[in-house]
Amino acid sequence: MKDFLLSISSTFDYHAYMKLTKVQAIFWSLADILMILVFLWIVDLLLRKRGGKISAWRYLLLLLSALMTPMLLLAGSSRSFFLMEAAIFAVQYLLLIYTLIRDGKSVLDVLLAYRGQDRADHLSQNE
Amino acid sequence: MSEFLRSLMHFAPSLTHIMGLCWLFAEGFCLVYVRWIYLRLYSPPKRSNRFFLLLSITVFLFLVAIALYIAFRSYQHAGFPGGKRAVLYLNSTFWRSLCVAWVLVEGLILWYIIRITGLFQGEAGSTVLSITVILTLSGFSLFYVYFEYLFRLFSFQEMLGISRLVNLSRFFIKVSGFMWIFFEWAVAIKGLQFLRFLRASAEERIP
């Protein structure tokens, strides 16, 4: 392992690092977009059970971050890349945190009702 | 007054450190939330999330304090024992520790998501996945400890020049990046499975 790391230290230069960073950032952003989209769908599904729903602007913000993602490939310097990356992930994380704060409790209540139904069925099967 | 404000600027962390801490805060927030959901679904309401919450806040504030300390030390690195090499060591070690924190937090979020979905879809399927996540996190932590040992050795015995040390640190950051992106994809896919399950069963199961 030591020899491997020593060889890496002479081959893994700035250009290799930046190429890999751009590819990673695209995969990272795509993972975040999919994760938040699925989370919003789950929250929406559960809120509809209580007569609510998720407003469209949250999906629009997520779409905005998705549209910004390919721009990461165009960034010239590492600083401009980092600033762009920061802007994209700020939108995504703020959206996630806002949804958790606003709808977290309601989601839990619906899931608790679901689990309660599960337990009731389980007990009646055992009797 | 302006002198006082200027002196405060010596403690301002770099933009990279600020963003790193913000991302960690966001991920930590999600971790506390999924753990709270898991505890409420799994156990009676009396089991508290407070200790975990306080621990998370303490760790986060500790990291913020280190970022402030590094900013101050970087400002006066001319008088710092070890000079530029020591400042580089501090900066890169802190950034790597943030990367490790992201990996651990993402891994734990995945672990709790697996546990939560397992509560609905039967425990049997989730055990292997849970163990895989814990083993992966343990293996990664061991690699990190070994890497830090070697990096310290390379830094202070002056076995490598500064540019090769930077390359080495960047390599570790990329390995960490691969890990947390992998965990995020796994969370997304697990979430997708849970969504399909909920869609199929919500009509009859949710009163």
Side-chain angles (χ1 to χ4, degrees):
Chain A
M1 178 67 89
K2 190 177 171 181
D3 292 335
F4 170 71
L5 290 175
L6 277 172
S7 73
I8 284 289
S9 72
S10 55
T11 53
F12 195 71
D13 61 3
Y14 173 78
H15 299 290
Y17 170 77
M18 275 311 289
K19 272 183 192 162
L20 200 55
T21 300
K22 285 184 179 181
V23 174
Q24 266 195 351
I26 298 289
F27 277 97
W28 184 15
S29 183
L30 290 177
D32 265 358
I33 290 164
L34 180 64
M35 188 177 73
I36 296 170
L37 185 63
V38 168
F39 178 66
L40 290 180
W41 280 338
I42 290 175
V43 172
D44 195 46
L45 177 76
L46 296 177
L47 286 182
R48 279 173 195 273
K49 288 284 161 190
R50 292 289 180 267
K53 67 172 188 171
I54 277 192
S55 48
W57 68 262
R58 285 191 240 184
Y59 292 107
L60 285 176
L61 272 181
L62 193 60
L63 179 66
L64 176 71
S65 79
L67 292 175
M68 283 161 74
T69 298
M71 287 161 66
L72 285 169
L73 294 171
L74 304 175
S77 65
S78 60
R79 185 168 175 81
S80 62
F81 175 83
F82 185 77
L83 288 174
M84 210 175 285
E85 195 181 32
I88 292 169
F89 290 109
V91 171
Q92 293 172 349
Y93 281 124
L94 285 174
L95 186 57
L96 191 59
I97 288 180
Y98 173 78
T99 306
L100 287 177
I101 292 173
R102 192 174 189 280
D103 302 315
K105 181 76 175 66
S106 313
V107 166
L108 176 67
D109 288 342
V110 183
L111 288 176
L112 279 171
Y114 192 118
R115 277 281 285 168
Q117 189 74 22
D118 260 2
R119 282 180 178 143
D121 286 358
H122 186 70
L123 281 174
S124 65
Q125 275 171 11
N126 284 347
E127 282 168 5
Chain B
M1 185 66 179
S2 63
E3 191 65 28
F4 173 71
L5 288 175
R6 211 174 298 130
S7 66
L8 278 185
M9 288 305 287
H10 302 162
F11 288 95
S14 64
L15 181 66
T16 18
H17 285 180
I18 292 172
M19 282 316 298
L21 286 167
C22 286
W23 286 333
L24 184 63
F25 176 82
E27 287 170 356
F29 191 92
C30 294
L31 175 62
V32 169
Y33 176 77
V34 290
R35 188 175 187 276
W36 175 66
I37 289 266
Y38 173 68
L39 288 181
R40 290 297 311 272
L41 289 172
Y42 179 69
S43 59
K46 279 184 181 172
R47 195 166 162 192
S48 171
N49 200 23
R50 193 167 295 167
F51 175 75
F52 186 76
L53 181 65
L54 286 175
L55 180 72
S56 305
I57 291 171
T58 308
V59 170
F60 183 74
L61 290 179
F62 180 66
L63 288 171
V64 170
I66 293 176
L68 296 174
Y69 172 77
I70 290 175
F72 183 65
R73 280 306 196 186
S74 298
Y75 173 75
Q76 46 166 229
H77 79 267
F80 192 61
K84 198 176 173 185
R85 187 173 271 265
V87 170
L88 168 82
Y89 178 77
L90 266 182
N91 264 309
S92 67
T93 304
F94 180 65
W95 188 247
R96 285 194 303 278
S97 67
L98 279 184
C99 291
V100 171
W102 295 334
V103 174
L104 294 179
V105 170
E106 292 281 0
L108 286 174
I109 289 173
L110 174 62
W111 190 78
Y112 278 113
I113 296 281
I114 290 168
R115 304 294 293 178
I116 289 170
T117 53
L119 289 174
F120 290 87
Q121 297 167 83
E123 300 277 2
S126 67
T127 312
V128 175
L129 274 178
S130 298
I131 292 172
T132 309
V133 173
I134 295 299
L135 285 178
T136 310
L137 286 179
S138 309
F140 177 76
S141 303
L142 286 176
F143 173 63
Y144 170 63
V145 171
Y146 181 65
F147 183 91
E148 284 303 326
Y149 163 74
L150 283 182
F151 194 83
R152 190 178 167 79
L153 206 69
F154 294 157
S155 299
F156 293 110
Q157 292 189 353
E158 307 209 355
M159 286 172 71
L160 295 179
I162 283 184
S163 66
R164 285 184 70 184
L165 277 175
V166 171
N167 288 348
L168 199 58
S169 184
R170 283 174 175 158
F171 171 72
F172 182 83
I173 291 164
K174 288 301 103 185
V175 173
S176 308
F178 171 78
M179 294 292 294
W180 83 68
I181 293 166
F182 172 77
F183 284 137
E184 283 204 359
W185 274 101
V187 168
I189 291 166
K190 202 70 195 156
L192 210 51
Q193 285 176 342
F194 190 55
L195 175 70
R196 286 179 63 190
F197 167 78
L198 281 178
R199 275 185 179 154
S201 60
E203 275 311 314
E204 53 173 299
R205 308 292 299 164
I206 301 177

